[in-house]
Amino acid sequence: MSSIAQGARARARNEITAAIKEEARRQLAAQGAARLSLRAVARELGMVSSALYRYFPSRDDLLTALIVDAYNSLGEAAEAAADASADAEPLVRWTAVCEAVRRWALAHPHEYALIYGSPVPGYEAPETTIPAAARVGKTLIGVVRAAHRGPGLALLNLPGELRPEAERMAADFAPDLPPETVAALVAAWAQLYGLVGFELFGQFHRVVEDREAFFRHAVTRLAQGVGLH
Amino acid sequence: MSSIAQGARARARNEITAAIKEEARRQLAAQGAARLSLRAVARELGMVSSALYRYFPSRDDLLTALIVDAYNSLGEAAEAAADASADAEPLVRWTAVCEAVRRWALAHPHEYALIYGSPVPGYEAPETTIPAAARVGKTLIGVVRAAHRGPGLALLNLPGELRPEAERMAADFAPDLPPETVAALVAAWAQLYGLVGFELFGQFHRVVEDREAFFRHAVTRLAQGVGLH
DNA sequence: GGAAATCAAGAGCAGTGCTCTCGTAAGTGT
DNA sequence: ACACTTACGAGAGCACTGCTCTTGATTTCC
């Protein structure tokens, strides 16, 4: 198994699973997660709804699969932006990654809402989503790390009460970077999400008009807060 | 009408409307907006589901009413924090307001998700929600304004491409403040939302441990970005 | 007091996620 | 090649949802 030559049955299963996800993603993009209907997906694929449960044991499992895909798609967009600007200055790369995130969000609003929207009930992020979710963060770390290796990173200071926390985060995610930088990076990451979310979810309606320019400026200041220049 | 002495019918209508909202809010807080059911609300109130439509023409209208209430509740919390610290330094007041927002969000996660979550389908924010939604922003403006009247506000600089946008925002929301400050304030507001949202929606899981300290620090830097000190 | 508006209740429609059963087809071991 | 096990699609059905329409009673207003 796991070879190219798999049985006809396994091959069909993979194809059908992919077709289900594809149609589900279409409905998600068109109408949002709330209106995603298993029965409608099955109907569109010409199968009966109960047959779909052979491939996804529940609606939530389908949504989880879509979440992982969305995380990966967003992560790819961020990584592509970082790679494409690999030779540029750190600050340019930073804004390139941030703008890639924003563009992806504007192009896939329902997917963005699905992953960064409101999964409040306690917590429920299945294990499988975690590595995919970390890709954007890892990309930002990579940009900062490149700056750190060059001369492009300023030192920050940190209140004493936050030092242990910062050292723990640094040890977990980027032992080669100064703890102050890692702490600032995590905050900047959350704030990037705030900027994108506010625009996407309509909070900038009748407040910010030139959102592109506004975003670029805000994101530049974010980078400065991390020490890039 | 609109006097204290209203007919028994109007009085009953107000009471029932309030009871519906109360029960709906209970279900919202307990299980989230997705699981809020008109029929369950009616059932709990001992009435038949169709009767409920005399008070709210649709589920969305009920949710809209809850959204307005949530905005007002959050706005009140922010204003209370600003008032309680009216004599303190601007930076202290700023963090007090931000921490009040965070506390409210942690105490009312489903309500917070309802108002700042994902209303993506195009846009649909009904007129009535706008003034309520603006209260937190107005509170932050008030804190900065007080600092501006005193000696507590540093001047910022702004790239030229953003100047017209900043001047427009200032003219709309705070003509007495420098446009640079208003632009920075809007960005800080969105970033505050990002910090709260990331914590609330579980993105800090296994990333940030001492969230209280982390938040306080991030919010202090936010204030510095607006020019408070 | 009578006309008009308001209301609760019930039945009903179309849709949902999900479960269970049943006959059939595909893969597996001997 | 035969029997056995597993995977699968189809259908019926359950409990639930938002919402509409009709019916009969109650309240309000002229």
Side-chain angles (χ1 to χ4, degrees), chain A residues 8-9 36-39 43 50 53 58-59:
Chain A
R9 185 150 225 164
L36 173 64
S37 153
L38 280 192
R39 294 183 108 112
R43 206 179 303 135
S50 60
Y53 285 83
S58 82
R59 184 179 185 273

Side-chain angles (χ1 to χ4, degrees), chain A residues 106-196:
Chain A
L106 292 179
H108 310 84
H110 286 119
E111 270 117 317
Y112 189 85
L114 180 63
I115 59 183
Y116 286 120
S118 25
V120 173
Y123 54 86
E124 45 168 328
E127 283 301 317
T128 53
T129 68
I130 294 181
R135 288 177 70 169
V136 172
K138 273 193 192 307
T139 308
L140 291 176
I141 290 180
V143 171
V144 173
R145 177 175 290 124
H148 183 239
R149 277 203 281 265
L153 194 62
L155 275 178
L156 310 170
N157 57 357
L158 202 69
E161 64 165 345
L162 212 61
R163 175 146 288 277
E165 178 73 19
E167 284 171 355
R168 204 192 41 70
M169 291 193 292
D172 281 0
F173 303 110
D176 55 331
L177 293 180
E180 302 88 344
T181 305
V182 176
L185 187 52
V186 171
W189 175 46
Q191 290 165 22
L192 165 63
Y193 151 78
L195 290 166
V196 173

Side-chain angles (χ1 to χ4, degrees), chain A residues 14 44 65 68 71 75 86 88 101 109 115 117-118 123 125 150 152 177 182 185 195 200 205 207 213 224:
Chain A
N14 287 344
E44 210 68 23
V68 173
Y71 269 129
V101 170
I115 59 183
S118 25
Y123 54 86
L177 293 180
V182 176
L185 187 52
L195 290 166
L200 196 64
H205 185 59
V207 176
Q224 292 165 349

Side-chain angles (χ1 to χ4, degrees), chain B residues 201-221:
Chain B
F201 298 160
Q203 301 281 349
F204 281 165
H205 185 60
R206 300 205 169 279
V207 177
V208 181
E209 296 291 338
D210 188 352
R211 294 172 190 168
E212 180 115 12
F214 183 82
F215 181 81
R216 193 198 323 276
H217 173 58
V219 139
T220 302
R221 303 214 46 160

Side-chain angles (χ1 to χ4, degrees), chain A:
Chain A
M1 47 204 61
S2 92
S3 88
I4 299 289
Q6 43 188 341
R9 185 150 225 164
R11 164 166 274 115
R13 179 167 239 283
N14 287 344
E15 279 177 14
I16 294 180
T17 304
I20 292 173
K21 282 211 294 186
E22 190 181 341
E23 175 59 30
R25 187 159 29 240
R26 191 180 352 262
Q27 293 193 14
L28 169 64
Q31 312 162 2
R35 289 200 229 279
L36 173 64
S37 153
L38 280 192
R39 294 183 108 112
V41 170
R43 206 179 303 135
E44 210 68 23
L45 262 51
M47 57 169 96
V48 91
S49 71
S50 60
L52 210 146
Y53 285 83
R54 301 270 175 198
Y55 300 89
F56 294 94
S58 82
R59 184 179 185 273
D60 278 349
D61 289 275
L62 215 196
L63 277 180
T64 299
L66 295 183
I67 287 176
V68 173
D69 286 359
Y71 269 129
N72 279 320
S73 172
L74 172 61
E76 264 175 47
E79 288 164 14
D83 292 347
S85 63
D87 299 329
E89 294 177 8
L91 209 151
V92 171
R93 296 188 72 201
W94 172 276
T95 58
V97 171
C98 290
E99 282 177 337
V101 170
R102 172 175 177 267
R103 261 195 308 274
W104 189 93
L106 292 179
H108 310 84
H110 286 119
E111 270 117 317
Y112 189 85
L114 180 63
I115 59 183
Y116 286 120
S118 25
V120 173
Y123 54 86
E124 45 168 328
E127 283 301 317
T128 53
T129 68
I130 294 181
R135 288 177 70 169
V136 172
K138 273 193 192 307
T139 308
L140 291 176
I141 290 180
V143 171
V144 173
R145 177 175 290 124
H148 183 239
R149 277 203 281 265
L153 194 62
L155 275 178
L156 310 170
N157 57 357
L158 202 69
E161 64 165 345
L162 212 61
R163 175 146 288 277
E165 178 73 19
E167 284 171 355
R168 204 192 41 70
M169 291 193 292
D172 281 0
F173 303 110
D176 55 331
L177 293 180
E180 302 88 344
T181 305
V182 176
L185 187 52
V186 171
W189 175 46
Q191 290 165 22
L192 165 63
Y193 151 78
L195 290 166
V196 173
F198 249 39
E199 174 174 355
L200 196 64
F201 298 159
Q203 300 282 349
F204 280 165
H205 185 59
R206 299 206 170 280
V207 176
V208 181
E209 297 290 339
D210 188 353
R211 294 173 190 168
E212 182 115 13
F214 184 82
F215 181 81
R216 193 197 324 276
H217 174 59
V219 140
T220 303
R221 302 215 46 161
L222 233 43
Q224 292 165 349
V226 180
L228 299 180
H229 53 262

Side-chain angles (χ1 to χ4, degrees), chain B residues 22 48 87 91 99 122 127 135 162 164 166 173 183 226 229:
Chain B
E22 191 181 340
V48 91
D87 299 330
L91 209 151
E99 284 178 336
E127 283 300 316
R135 288 178 69 169
L162 211 63
F173 303 111
V226 181
H229 56 260

